[in-house]
Amino acid sequence: MHVGILGGTGPAGLGLGVRLAHAGMRVTIGSRDPLRAEEVVAELLAARPEHQLAIEGADNAGAAKADMVVVATPWESAQSTVRGVAESLRDTVVISMANALVREGKEMLALIPPRGSVAAGIQYALPQSQVVAAFHHLPAAQMFDLASGLTADVLICSDWPEATAATSALIERIEGLRPLDAGSLNQAAAIEAFTAVCITLNIHYRAHSTLRLAGI
Ligand SMILES: NC(=O)c1ccc[n+]([C@@H]2O[C@H](COP(=O)([O-])OP(=O)(O)OC[C@H]3O[C@@H](n4cnc5c(N)ncnc54)[C@H](OP(=O)(O)O)[C@@H]3O)[C@@H](O)[C@H]2O)c1
């Protein structure tokens, strides 16, 4: 499995990329600037000589050629980024991990993007792709540190059952993560907005909490 990450040079994309590569997948970290992606990946690999991670850097167009593609840009640039590579994303599972948030003092607040969620906006921009929302609540630093003991539930939603199943299978391969099917893409609004609550809790309690649902 080859996974591409658009905007993968940020903490979220890099953290997820490390976890995916550690789980045995080939990962392409995408960027607007391929040289930046190559530099970031070289630094990452140099810091982990003990691991054989199949990660490479490329421009976003290169990352969009993968079997599955993750959108890890800031939410405002998610639609324009996927539009720029829409042809490569045709008939592809595209996973949005972007959250529309703003910080006000000690609180993180959720914004309401056009169409209700970032993921719904991406699905609108990519009518020929199977858009999934996932990975919103995973803290980047804990993903990046393979020794952090990361354990978390990952809420997934999509209007495409096969895409939900493919994303669940991807998540199951990552040690410590449990995929949970949260329903249609309509749920992305609540899932994305809940990230504001998770981060506010972390600010209040000076914690690095992850989401775990009891009873399932
Ligand atoms: N940080 C977390 O813990 C976390 C966890 C879960 C989900 N998320 C979500 O994941 C997304 C990425 O988070 P992050 O903290 O990694 O963000 P970030 O560092 O601000 O941005 C990620 C990458 O997006 C690219 N980018 C920035 N501005 C852009 C623009 N105008 N157009 C196109 N690309 C642009 C940049 O890559 P290049 O300059 O190399 O192109 C940047 O390295 C966010 O939507 C966030 O809500 C974050």
Side-chain angles (χ1 to χ4, degrees), residues 4-6 69-73 78-79 81-82 89 94-98 122:
I5 307 183
L6 309 180
V69 174
V70 177
V71 183
T73 65
Q79 274 202 33
T81 300
V82 298
L89 298 178
V94 176
I95 306 171
S96 171
M97 69 185 301
I122 292 174

Side-chain angles (χ1 to χ4, degrees), residues 68 92-95 123 129-133 156-172 179-186:
M68 290 174 91
T92 300
V93 174
V94 176
I95 306 171
Q123 182 66 83
S129 306
Q130 299 176 330
V131 175
V132 175
I156 308 169
C157 67
S158 173
D159 289 338
W160 307 86
E162 341 62 280
T164 296
T167 305
S168 291
L170 188 78
I171 292 166
E172 264 166 4
L180 293 175
D181 179 354
S184 74
L185 203 66
N186 289 320

Side-chain angles (χ1 to χ4, degrees), residues 7 9-12 31-32 36 72-74 77 81 97-99 135-136 138 140:
T9 55
S31 169
R32 290 167 293 182
R36 171 168 148 75
T73 65
S77 39
T81 300
M97 69 185 301
N99 299 298
F135 300 123
H136 301 85
L138 294 176

